[in-house]
Amino acid sequence: MNQTESGIINVLKQGAPLRAGDIAKALSISRREVNHYLYTSLNGLVTQDSQYKWTLKSASKVEGEQLLISFEEQPVSSTLNELLTQHQQCQREASLEDTLQSLINSPEE
């Protein structure tokens, strides 16, 4: 999880539903960048209401859902270095769900 994703999670942990523009102002980044993360990597952790305001899903809702991480199929590599690189990428992707869960379940700072 990168710094921007963590920042969005921390802003939403404060509890009040917020529009993407308000999250962007709090983090001093563009609304477009906030929307990118809300609709992609954070999509399984957040929900949007009819007024376009975002909140974190409750821990029980997140635990009840299966967080899906998509993996791109890559051709079989013939060199050891390429295989090692692919293995390291798979390890990073596999730990994403654990990182996201720990951020949701961690106490507010």
Side-chain angles (χ1 to χ4, degrees), residues 8 15 28 33 38 40 49 74 79 90 97 101:
I8 293 169
S28 299
E33 186 175 2
L38 291 171
T40 59
D49 66 19
Q74 297 183 6
T79 67
C90 287
E97 183 176 346
Q101 285 291 358

Side-chain angles (χ1 to χ4, degrees), residues 9-16 56 103-109:
I9 294 291
N10 287 330
V11 168
L12 291 175
K13 273 186 169 183
Q14 296 174 10
L56 286 176
L103 280 171
I104 288 175
N105 297 326
S106 68
E108 290 188 35
E109 296 178 22

Side-chain angles (χ1 to χ4, degrees), residues 16-72:
L18 295 171
R19 290 183 180 216
D22 297 324
I23 298 168
K25 284 179 189 174
L27 298 173
S28 299
I29 60 175
S30 72
R31 181 176 56 92
R32 182 176 182 216
E33 186 175 2
V34 170
N35 275 324
H36 165 75
Y37 289 109
L38 291 171
Y39 283 103
T40 59
S41 58
L42 298 177
N43 189 266
L45 302 175
V46 297
T47 187
Q48 186 183 45
D49 66 19
S50 61
Q51 296 176 335
Y52 306 102
K53 293 184 179 181
W54 294 90
T55 55
L56 286 176
K57 289 184 179 179
S58 67
S60 59
K61 278 187 179 179
V62 172
E63 289 171 8
E65 295 180 12
Q66 182 179 3
L67 296 177
L68 298 177
I69 301 171
S70 62
F71 297 94
E72 293 180 17

